[in-house]
Amino acid sequence: MKFFIDTANLDEIRKAKEYGLIDGVTTNPTLLAREGADWKRQMELICKEVDGPVSLEVIATDAEGMLKEARELVKYGPNVVVKIPMLMEGMKAVRQLSEMGIRTNVTVCFSPAQALLAAKAGASYISPFIGRLDHIGQDGMDLIGSIVTMYRNYDFKTEVLVASIRHPMHVVEAALIGADVATIPFKVLFELAKHPMTDLGIESFLSDWKKTFGS
Ligand code: G3P
């Protein structure tokens, strides 16, 4: 399973990179707005900082506008993946971008039907938002299961990129289902390492050592 980090914050990207666990980055308009900096410069810096794919999202909601923005976004680096919102106009743009050899990530996906359309259009990635579904009382992980099954049935090449992750079990369950990528918030990346038994185990090893050999 590939791990992307879901952030537009350069400090978080650099810190996460130090652990050697990050295969790519996903951003969205909210995450970039949160940085409040010059967004063009921010996109450029993120693309330079990361070796793997970096998703940058278009703002337009019509195919023509999306294609125009996509042509600008890919100038930030060879690793750019153009993030396209799940709209019928978006599908038109995805098809054309895929024919131009530009990778796409179809975002704001909440249903298996939408994921099927994205794969038919030739998307490189589909981003189902599981945390937001959980928040409205639907099981986000059911959606991941349905998409993985559908894509396997027809050998679609679109990768399932689990997004809107809230906690470690989202990552673990997505891995058990066989999703290709989890885009993980910085905080959750560190939560994955935590277990109280690990803390207690390390504490007792160190204390036994110190009792006998000193520090
Ligand atoms: O980047 C897309 C997605 O991961 C957003 O998640 O936390 O805004 O629901 P969230």
Side-chain angles (χ1 to χ4, degrees):
M1 178 186 237
K2 282 171 270 187
F3 278 10
F4 290 178
I5 184 162
D6 197 26
T7 184
N9 182 284
L10 277 166
D11 285 343
E12 288 188 354
I13 292 169
R14 286 180 187 131
K15 278 184 198 148
K17 254 181 71 181
E18 283 171 18
Y19 295 91
L21 293 167
I22 296 303
D23 303 300
V25 169
T26 52
T27 68
N28 62 41
T30 302
L31 292 171
L32 277 156
R34 204 174 281 165
E35 295 310 305
D38 171 352
W39 59 270
K40 287 187 180 175
R41 179 85 184 124
Q42 193 74 2
M43 285 181 175
E44 193 185 338
L45 290 172
I46 294 170
C47 291
K48 280 208 181 99
E49 191 64 44
V50 180
D51 293 329
V54 175
S55 288
L56 302 177
E57 191 162 339
V58 299
I59 303 300
T61 50
D62 63 297
E64 201 183 319
M66 290 178 193
L67 290 167
K68 192 167 164 235
E69 283 182 46
R71 282 191 284 268
E72 291 304 312
L73 291 175
V74 293
K75 290 181 186 163
Y76 291 113
N79 50 350
V80 170
V81 174
V82 180
K83 222 170 173 185
I84 302 280
M86 181 58 234
L87 297 166
M88 283 307 277
E89 282 292 298
M91 298 305 95
K92 211 192 278 179
V94 167
R95 166 60 60 211
Q96 290 188 42
L97 290 168
S98 132
E99 281 164 11
M100 290 157 69
I102 295 175
R103 288 178 296 169
T104 54
N105 173 359
V106 172
T107 188
V108 210
C109 167
F110 289 96
S111 79
Q114 291 176 330
L116 194 54
L117 281 181
K120 288 287 293 174
S124 315
Y125 300 96
I126 181 72
S127 287
F129 279 19
I130 60 168
R132 294 193 194 187
L133 275 177
D134 288 355
H135 284 303
I136 60 155
Q138 284 184 31
D139 188 349
M141 210 50 69
D142 281 351
L143 175 58
I144 302 303
S146 302
I147 298 172
V148 167
T149 303
M150 284 189 319
Y151 284 10
R152 279 195 191 139
N153 285 346
Y154 296 97
D155 200 22
F156 281 121
K157 300 297 175 228
T158 307
E159 292 189 52
V160 181
L161 192 167
V162 181
S164 186
I165 282 174
R166 298 281 181 263
H167 50 72
M169 282 314 289
H170 273 156
V171 182
V172 172
E173 285 171 20
L176 286 168
I177 292 170
D180 303 282
V181 190
T183 188
I184 306 173
F186 185 73
K187 181 173 155 274
V188 177
L189 182 66
F190 288 83
E191 287 171 353
L192 281 164
K194 296 304 279 178
H195 197 288
M197 293 298 287
T198 302
D199 295 341
L200 286 173
I202 293 171
E203 205 179 297
S204 72
F205 283 152
L206 291 180
S207 130
D208 290 343
W209 180 272
K210 278 180 195 162
K211 266 185 246 154
T212 307
F213 303 116
S215 55

